[in-house]
Amino acid sequence: MNEEIVALVDQTVQSTAIVTGQTRDFNEGSGSAWLLSSSYLVTNNHVVEHMVEPIWVRMPNQDEIRATLVGRDELTDLAVLRIPENHVTPLELRQSPPRLGEICLAFGSPLGVFPESVSLGIVSGLSRSLPATGGRAIHDVIQTDCAINPGNSGGPLVGVDGRVIGVNTAIRNDAAGIGFAVPADTISLIVPELIQHGGIERASVGVSVANRKIQGDRAGVQRIVVTGTRSNTAGDLRRGDVLLAIGGFGVRKYSDITRILGRDMIGANVSVMVWRDGAEVEVLCVPSRLVSDG
C-alpha cells in the first residue's frame, strides 16, 4: 500500500500547480490549481478573484508561466485558468460519488511556501453546506479531515484511484480537522460552461428553499421545501411546498436545483411539481435570470 500511495502522489503532484499574483490592494496572493486538460487549470474563485494580471502558474520541475483567467463562479467558488499547452498528464474527474470513510489525499501549496505538499485523510462527511459570499452557501460539499491550510485552496482532493473527487476549498477556523472540498459533480457541471462562456448564468423560479424533514414522511429524509417567494416568477408556488421536480428533472438536494436551472431555463415555460396538502400539484413558472450578489 505504501508503494502504491507513493506512486499515486508522484503522478498527482506533477499535475498540481501553485498560483501567484498581485491583488488589487498590492498584496501577494497565492493558492493552488490542477491540470484538467493540456491547457486548462481548475482552481477556486477566491484564489483569483482579487488578483490582477498577470497571474502566474508554476508546476513541478517547470518554469513559471503566465496564465489567463478564463472564467469564475462565486456561487460554487470555482475558476478556470488557461495556460500554453502543457504535456503533463492531466488529472481525471471521478464519475462516481465519494463514499463516507474512503481514503483521500489533499494536494497543494499550504501557506504559499510549501509547494508539492500532500496530506492523507478520509471523506468524513457528505452533502455539507459551506457559507460563501453574499450570504449564500455552497451546497453538497465534501467534508474531509485531510490537513488543509491557506494556500491549499484550489488544489485537488483525490481518491486512491488517482481521480479527483473535489477541489480543496476551505476549513473551519474554530475547529481542527474539518476541511471542505467542492465535489467533482459540481466541477463537471460548472467548468465546461466557464470554458465556453466565461461565466455562469442561472435561472430562478423566485423562491427561497431550505432542507426540512416533513412530518409524517416515512422515509425520514430531508426534503427541499419552499420557505418564501420573492417575485412573480414563482407563479403559484407557496410556502411549505415540497419540490419534487423542475422541468421533468427530479429534485432531491440543492445541487439538483443548480444543475436544472441553467441558462437554457431563463424565460422558458417550466413545469414544477410539488407536494402540497397530501397530493402532487403542478405549477407553471417562467424562470428569470438569477442576479448574482457579486
Side-chain angles (χ1 to χ4, degrees), residues 34-42 70 80-83 195:
W34 52 276
L35 200 63
L36 177 67
S37 69
S38 60
S39 298
Y40 292 107
L41 291 157
V42 176
V70 174
V80 176
L81 300 171
R82 184 172 59 242
I83 58 174
I195 292 173

Side-chain angles (χ1 to χ4, degrees), residues 42-282:
V42 176
T43 186
N44 282 135
N45 171 67
H46 76 260
V47 169
V48 298
E49 66 175 327
H50 299 301
M51 287 184 181
V52 296
E53 298 285 351
I55 297 173
W56 299 97
V57 167
R58 185 173 63 80
M59 303 185 72
N61 306 313
Q62 295 189 24
D63 295 332
E64 193 172 54
I65 55 176
R66 187 167 178 167
T68 302
L69 178 61
V70 174
R72 59 186 186 86
D73 178 45
E74 290 185 355
L75 195 58
T76 57
D77 199 17
L78 292 174
V80 176
L81 300 171
R82 184 172 59 242
I83 58 174
E85 187 172 357
N86 193 293
H87 297 293
V88 173
T89 302
L91 300 180
E92 294 183 33
L93 280 174
R94 170 89 73 80
Q95 299 301 313
S96 57
R99 296 166 297 167
L100 190 65
E102 75 166 279
I103 296 172
C104 56
L105 300 94
F107 293 80
S109 178
L111 306 181
V113 295
F114 299 107
E116 302 167 37
S117 293
V118 59
S119 59
L120 178 69
I122 64 170
V123 173
S124 46
L126 298 169
S127 299
R128 305 304 197 204
S129 292
L130 179 63
T133 57
R136 291 194 176 106
I138 306 172
H139 298 291
D140 298 321
V141 298
I142 301 166
Q143 180 186 333
T144 177
D145 65 350
C146 287
I148 296 175
N149 293 279
N152 273 114
S153 293
L157 183 71
V158 305
V160 293
D161 59 0
R163 292 181 171 87
V164 176
I165 63 173
V167 175
N168 306 323
T169 299
I171 58 173
R172 281 291 298 256
N173 292 320
D174 57 348
I178 300 181
F180 301 98
V182 177
D185 58 352
T186 300
I187 301 167
S188 63
L189 174 70
I190 297 299
V191 166
E193 188 168 351
L194 289 178
I195 292 173
Q196 182 176 358
H197 299 285
I200 305 297
E201 282 199 356
R202 295 181 173 88
S204 170
V205 293
V207 299
S208 55
V209 297
N211 277 320
R212 296 282 189 271
K213 286 188 176 180
I214 308 302
Q215 186 174 4
D217 186 350
R218 294 182 179 179
V221 298
Q222 291 191 330
R223 310 285 185 172
I224 302 297
V225 179
V226 175
T227 57
T229 58
R230 302 192 300 266
S231 71
N232 293 333
T233 303
D236 190 38
L237 289 173
R238 303 174 188 175
R239 184 175 181 179
D241 284 346
V242 180
L243 293 181
L244 302 177
I246 300 175
F249 299 98
V251 173
R252 294 186 178 183
K253 53 186 180 179
Y254 283 109
S255 59
D256 292 333
I257 300 174
T258 302
R259 173 178 51 82
I260 296 166
L261 291 176
R263 63 176 66 228
D264 59 328
M265 287 286 191
I266 299 173
N269 292 309
V270 177
S271 168
V272 180
M273 298 301 298
V274 301
W275 184 262
R276 179 191 297 169
D277 298 329
E280 287 190 15
V281 176
E282 181 181 24

